[in-house]
Amino acid sequence: MPTADGHLARVLADFRAGKVRGLARAITLVERRDPLTRQLFEALGPPAKSPLVIGLTGSPGTGKSTLGDAIVALSRKAGLSVAVLAVDPNSPFTGGAVFGDRIRMQRHALDPGVYIRSMGARGHLGGLSVASREAVRLLAAYGFDLIILETVGVGQSELEVAGIADTTVVVMAPGLGDGVQMIKAGIMEIADIFVVNKADLPGYERTMQEIRSMQNMGPKLAWKPPIVATVAARGEGVAELKQAVERHQAHLAASGEGKERRRRRLEEEAADLVAEWSRVAARKLVQEDPKLRRRLENEQAPYGVAEAILKEQGARLVPGVSSKEKPK
Amino acid sequence: MPLRIVMAKVGLDGHDRGVKVVARALRDAGFEVIYTGLRQTPEMVVDAAIQEDAQVIGLSLHSGAHMTLIPAVVDELKRKGAEDIMVFGGGIIPEEDIVELKRLGVAEIFPPGSGLQQIVDFLRERFPEEAAAPA
Amino acid sequence: MKVRYKAGSKAEWQEAFATSAKRDDGIETSTISGIPVKPLYTSEDLDDGEEELPGEFPYTRGVHPTGYRGRLWTMRQFSGFSTAVETNRRYHYLLKNGQTGLSVAFDMPTLMGQDSDAPTSRGEVGHCGVAVDSLADMETLFEGIPVGEITTSMTINSPAAILLAMYLAVAEKQGVAFNQVGGTLQNDILKEYIAQKEYIFPPEPSMRLVVDSIQYCAAEVPKWNTVSISGYHIREAGSTAAQELAFTLADGFAYVDACLERGMKIDDFAPRLSFFFDAHIDFFEEIAKFRAARRIWARHLRERYGAQDPRSWKLRFHTQTAGVSLTAQQPELNIARTALEALSAVLGGTNSLHTNAMDEVLALPTDKTARIALRTQQLIAYETGAASTIDPLGGSYFVEALTQEMEDQAEAYFKKIDAIGGVIPAIERGFFQKEIADAAYRYQSELESKRRIMVGVNEFEVEDEDELEILRIDRSKEQGQVERVREVRARRDSARWSKTMTQLGKAANSTDNLMPYILDAVRAYATEGEIMGKLVEAWGLYTEEAVI
């Protein structure tokens, strides 16, 4: 086994040399919440440019991967390099998963300007948003112009992920009857743009109408999410979607909301990191310290112990490697 | 983090029963399977495995082109400096060809009639850390 | 149905059965498809319907009043390998040995509509069947075989229209009129999206091509069976018997709908639609499936579509024994499996039959194993007496009850498919693919836990197996075929070729029937890959929604 530092040095060298393997392995580090992650980012420094991050979310069967594929195709024509991060749920029972998102994007398989990565939303609280946010940051550092973050709109994950994207696109399709589900899941609130895909199928008008009436029920917003009809399989409506994204970007810039979102994102990220670090450390502490365990037993409530850990352990909750030991 | 496996159908045939059943079994064993679909060329499979940072590539084919396509995957891995990614395969492959494929660097071939558990056990043995049975 | 056993005797039997010791081996008693079966069926399991006779609507007991007394089934062994020259030699051998029809197996590049010299054909040329790139190969394939005197079945789908055109062009060269040409084209694109996955274009233009060929044949090649609507591949992909039955018939209805939409009259094309089923190892379930298929088709065609010609009501089918039931372990056992499966097809009233060779799980059959497979059919036909009585299991309490169960399950599936909006939307939603994948996984799990036994695989294994002598395809033949197609391209009249290709391209974007255009291109020695390329230009490629 290579040493941890040796591994990091190799990953960094490959990453900086523009080798896909370096990028892929760096993403694995953040994905498995490796303690080397912090060193990795400190070594890489802030990204030179900030790419556009589009979030794509929708129920299974809406054709969201096909839409992703069509956006990739359009962006490649414009000479942009594109990364796709496809986040899918893992089985809650075994932790396993089968990811099939690449199938839809086969035509880009050998294009060096396209990177596709499947990622499991492993169900650990908050972990997904931290991991995918960091993966997005790595993709930015690697130099992609556009990053597409795909999530399945069936649970909490897409809400977390919405915080990462600059523009969140909610994809729907006729005949799936998922309108009500989406309201329940809070999906209406996160949409910057709605897409009704498979607009060549009967019932698409009705789906458009449903979205419109749901929008009318909600509060009046400075940005009213436009509804774009697409037939992604034939590339139809994708240019219109691109224009809608551009308009949304312009709105973010002009209204100052973009800046606000970025500020909020960083705040969230810091808070998430505190949560993640202290959770990992606290679990270990409780397991190893008989006093804490006894206290929990006596009090039959977690508050006192939680407070004690935060107060007494403070800095020691920050994971292992100090930032001074940067690899060369 | 679970073991990551790229499963692909190389060659022109579309018989995906085997690859899908194995993909499900590997999922149920707690692994992450990236299924890349039908008619993958060796170059596509290797690129996918590198992008996905998979430790393993599983190939399935029934068209009879295994002696051309499976070694092509192994060669492509070498060419891309990724020979640490393990390759296994399954499909209609006669014993004599299995011997030759193993000589060329394929870790294992599972001919028709192999049990799913056999494949899971094989991967757990090769990757004891990543592939531990779920608690 | 009148119960004829003695009063109280059924209760006595039930008591005796309940209190007796029974096998305790944990092995499933449901059918291989998971249909629960009772230990005993009696007259109580029959419905009160009128008794039916063979040759009588709805044909549960067979489409001919004479059964096999009139004519045995066609023994049609599917074969093809390597080059047209070698396959032609095998055809002469099979015809000399008493085979009554030819059935062409094409190699993967041909099935996928690409030429032998395409980069992705590497390693695949001549492996699973014969390579046919152009009319020149088709001419060689039927050298010395009078196509007016035999019938030929061609297993090909996405590029089916092209191979049909090549066959017709060969007939033309042999001086045989199109209306004398008989045979079957698989041409069943829907099951490709559902199961076998040898699709190229999106479903809509694919369906147009199928309807074009049906319409063309109805007018010009009336003895040609235009579509062999196939459950075989659906079953081999892991479906249950009921799914095979339901999905296949649903596909059949979808072709009928598409032809009607084109403006054709039902009785002009329905008699030339035929079917192709799997004969799996669960003996009685298979017999029930075949009987139910005839009944369902007849009812729907007459009652739902209003067909008047009884030929439209009659479901005729080819059967192949189940490739997936064969094992690489103790392969000689495959002879026994195949014989039982073949018998189920015969008892189910199949119109033609292919029996697999014992080594097919390992490679393509050798001359010897191909002969044993054919001899197995001859043995059933001439030694067992199975062909002497029409529908010999008709009236069996068990078989009749299972037949009804099959019909009920199929009807339930038709409702589900209709609710999704039809076959093509169901394909696009991954409905069939999911149902099949679930069934396949269930069966595999049952094998793993030994609730089902595959002899020689998960029970009754032997330590050291003898190696079977298998057919090796000479890999050097690939280069020869590559050179051959290049030679054809270099030698042909390029002005004529170019003209036909331009016209084909235009026609693909119009609503003209494409068959005459394809025929012209084929006559000008356009290759299969070139013709498909033209169509892809117009229609694009299809990729499927992933369903695991």
Side-chain angles (χ1 to χ4, degrees), chain C residues 340-396:
Chain C
L340 290 167
E341 291 164 358
L343 183 59
S344 78
V346 168
L347 295 177
T350 195
N351 302 89
S352 68
L353 180 60
H354 167 102
T355 32
N356 287 324
M358 66 166 161
D359 49 357
E360 255 164 285
V361 71
L362 301 166
L364 291 177
T366 61
D367 275 351
K368 182 176 174 190
T369 59
R371 190 175 62 233
I372 293 172
L374 174 62
R375 294 285 182 260
T376 303
Q377 292 199 38
Q378 291 161 339
L379 191 152
I380 293 172
Y382 298 106
E383 292 186 17
T384 63
S388 305
T389 298
I390 306 162
D391 187 33
L393 289 176
S396 148

Side-chain angles (χ1 to χ4, degrees), chain C residues 191-212:
Chain C
K191 66 92 173 52
E192 295 299 337
Y193 299 105
I194 293 174
Q196 190 171 235
K197 315 290 170 78
E198 287 165 14
Y199 43 71
I200 291 167
F201 319 116
E204 269 175 51
S206 286
M207 282 298 274
R208 174 226 172 148
L209 200 49
V210 174
V211 176
D212 280 358

Side-chain angles (χ1 to χ4, degrees), chain A residues 235-250:
Chain A
E236 289 168 20
V238 183
E240 287 76 6
L241 173 59
K242 184 173 164 261
Q243 285 161 13
V245 171
E246 282 161 4
R247 278 202 310 279
H248 182 243
Q249 287 301 305

Side-chain angles (χ1 to χ4, degrees), chain B residues 12 20 24 28 39 63 116, chain C residues 124 197 438 441 448 547:
Chain B
L12 293 176
K20 284 185 170 179
R24 278 195 189 200
D28 291 349
R39 301 190 183 95
S63 69
L116 296 173
Chain C
E124 311 253 17
K197 315 290 170 78
D438 286 349
Y441 193 57
E448 294 280 318
V547 180

Side-chain angles (χ1 to χ4, degrees), chain B residues 11-14 16-17 20 24-25 28 35 38-39 63-65 67-68 92 95-97 112-113 115-117, chain C residues 108 112 114 123-124 127-128 196-197 236-238 329 361-362 437-438 441 444 448 457 467 472 475 547-548:
Chain B
L12 293 176
D13 77 278
D16 56 6
R17 172 187 180 144
K20 284 185 170 179
R24 278 195 189 200
D28 291 349
Y35 178 53
L38 302 173
R39 301 190 183 95
S63 69
M67 291 312 284
T68 306
I92 302 185
E95 184 55 38
E96 174 186 342
D97 292 350
L116 296 173
Q117 196 55 43
Chain C
M108 280 311 311
M112 286 307 294
Q114 58 187 47
E124 311 253 17
H127 257 290
C128 291
Q196 190 171 235
K197 315 290 170 78
E236 294 281 301
Q329 298 79 359
V361 71
L362 301 166
D438 286 349
Y441 193 57
Q444 195 61 40
E448 294 280 318
V457 175
E467 282 244 3
R472 291 254 156 209
R475 271 188 248 162
V547 180
I548 305 285

Side-chain angles (χ1 to χ4, degrees), chain A residues 13-85:
Chain A
D14 282 351
F15 190 102
R16 289 186 174 123
K19 288 187 185 161
V20 177
R21 208 139 201 231
L23 169 64
R25 291 187 153 167
I27 294 179
T28 300
L29 287 179
V30 306
E31 209 186 342
R32 71 169 183 231
R33 313 308 303 141
D34 194 287
L36 292 171
T37 302
R38 181 172 180 181
Q39 275 174 288
L40 174 73
F41 281 109
E42 285 175 354
L44 288 172
K49 57 177 178 180
S50 58
L52 172 62
V53 183
I54 299 179
L56 271 186
T57 192
S59 309
T62 50
K64 119 191 93 62
S65 295
T66 311
L67 187 64
D69 171 74
I71 298 173
V72 173
L74 192 71
S75 310
R76 290 299 293 146
K77 259 189 212 145
L80 303 175
S81 60
V82 189
V84 179
L85 192 63

